[in-house]
Amino acid sequence: MTTTDMTISATAPSTATTGAANPTTERPVPVWALRTARALPLLALPVCLWRLPFGFGFRMGMDMPREDLPLWVTVPYVLTLSLLSEAFALLCAGLVRPWGERAPAWLVVAAGTVAGGAFTALTVQWVLTTLELAGFHEVGFVNGWWRALATVVSGLFVLWGPLILALTYAYHRRRHA
């Protein structure tokens, strides 16, 4: 090891000492936030897969009447809803990655400054308030196994909202500390 190598390694902060999970962001990202951002798409995936049979008219054990909507309406609707849910879950990585800290060039400039951090936080909050994250509303099931499966699948997705709130708070603290 040369003197230059020792100087660089002695002065450069390591991820072990700073707790930074991603040293390329402006400020260190907490390890829990990075792990949470990586887990969000995996939390959304089961409910996205759960929705798909509904598009084809299968009730997934729910004791409710069948709707008489044509497949050309239900399949694209359910597929689009599932893809959008997964896309929003994947975009949450922007809360812990460098590309989430930069405002895009097309962003409106307000009062002479670009509101990149506020734009990201407001977008995340908009997603949280416009998507319904709650589970089933007192729907009957044909047996307990279908109810258990629905509870587990929707329960994972219900975690999505609080985890995004925690990531948004960590993002805000990191950007405004």
Side-chain angles (χ1 to χ4, degrees), residues 3-25:
T3 309
T4 307
D5 293 336
M6 287 189 286
T7 306
I8 291 172
S9 64
T11 58
S14 70
T15 58
T17 59
T18 62
N22 184 4
T24 59
T25 56

Side-chain angles (χ1 to χ4, degrees), residues 61-106:
M62 288 188 207
D63 190 19
M64 56 189 290
R66 201 168 205 181
E67 295 183 24
D68 292 329
L69 293 172
L71 288 179
W72 66 270
V73 172
T74 58
V75 172
Y77 170 73
V78 171
L79 186 62
T80 301
L81 186 61
S82 294
L83 290 175
L84 283 175
S85 298
E86 197 62 33
F88 281 129
L90 288 167
L91 283 174
C92 289
L95 294 170
V96 296
R97 307 301 290 167
W99 55 268
E101 294 181 349
R102 292 187 302 270
W106 53 265

